[in-house]
Structure formats: structure tokens, C-alpha cells
Amino acid sequence: MCETLLYTALTTDTPVVNGGIVPVGDTIFKTGCNIIQNGNTIKILGKGNFFVFAVATIAAASTGPITISLQQDGVDVIGGQSTITVAGTSDQTVLPIILPVRNLTCCGSTLSFVVTGADVTVDNMTVTVLKQ
């Protein structure tokens, strides 16, 4: 069995439109063979359970509810949403997502993070994905 860990970080202010994919940044370190960064997404390879730990710091362009959702192959993962209601456009907000996902295919699966509710600026995004 191949233990795998991927840690990515986005540390520059990055605008993301409502409905857009939040970039996962750069790979800071990686071990093993079952998780790779693929542009703004993360590819999990092989059958099994993967644990996702993600934290985004955002500033919204308008007030109201903002949601970041973890998607697997373009579909929201149940329980993989973090929502906050923003009171002011200059407020920075932290949105965490922590949950397991299951990959049932040997072909691999794509994980992405999508923001809805308003355009945002992502100030910081860190993602850790672990397979044991």
C-alpha cells in the first residue's frame, strides 16, 4: 500500500468569480503515488478513502452568503460545503472544509473547490489530501 500526502498552498490574492474554481496554488510537498495536483484541481488515483483538509481565507465583493464547496468530478460532495454570511465587503472570512471522500474507481477522480454566492478574492488557500 502506498501512503500518500499532498499539501498545496495559494498565498497570493486571487480573484475568483461566482461559480468559479478556487485555485489550489502550488504543491508545497508531496509523498507517495496516489495524489497529484492537476492545475487548479487535485487528482486522486486508485480506489480507497482520502481525507481532505482545506482552509480558504476570502474577501467577498458583496455582502450575503458565500459558500465554498468541495466537488468530486464536478459534483458537490455531501457535507463538503462551508458557508458564511459576509456583513461587509472588506471583511476577511475563513472557510474550512474537512471530510473524507471515497474513490471507487481505479481510473482516478478529480477534486476541486467552487465558490458560490458572490465574486471573491482568495487571500490564502491551503489544501492537504491524505490517503492511507
Side-chain angles (χ1 to χ4, degrees), residues 99-116:
L99 75 158
V101 295
R102 178 173 286 167
N103 188 31
L104 299 174
T105 174
C106 291
C107 298
S109 191
T110 300
L111 302 178
S112 59
F113 298 88
V114 175
V115 64
T116 54

Side-chain angles (χ1 to χ4, degrees), residues 3-75:
E3 290 189 8
T4 304
L5 173 75
L6 175 72
Y7 173 64
T8 67
L10 175 71
T11 57
T12 57
D13 289 357
T14 304
V16 179
V17 298
N18 185 7
I21 292 177
V22 179
V24 294
D26 298 315
T27 297
I28 304 303
F29 63 84
K30 174 188 176 311
T31 60
C33 55
N34 292 104
I35 309 167
I36 58 172
Q37 182 176 351
N38 186 18
N40 289 334
T41 65
I42 294 172
K43 185 91 169 175
I44 55 176
L45 305 167
K47 291 181 181 180
N49 298 314
F50 295 77
F51 297 92
V52 179
F53 308 88
V55 178
T57 303
I58 63 161
S62 61
T63 60
I66 305 292
T67 301
I68 291 185
S69 301
L70 172 63
Q71 293 188 340
Q72 184 173 6
D73 296 326
V75 177

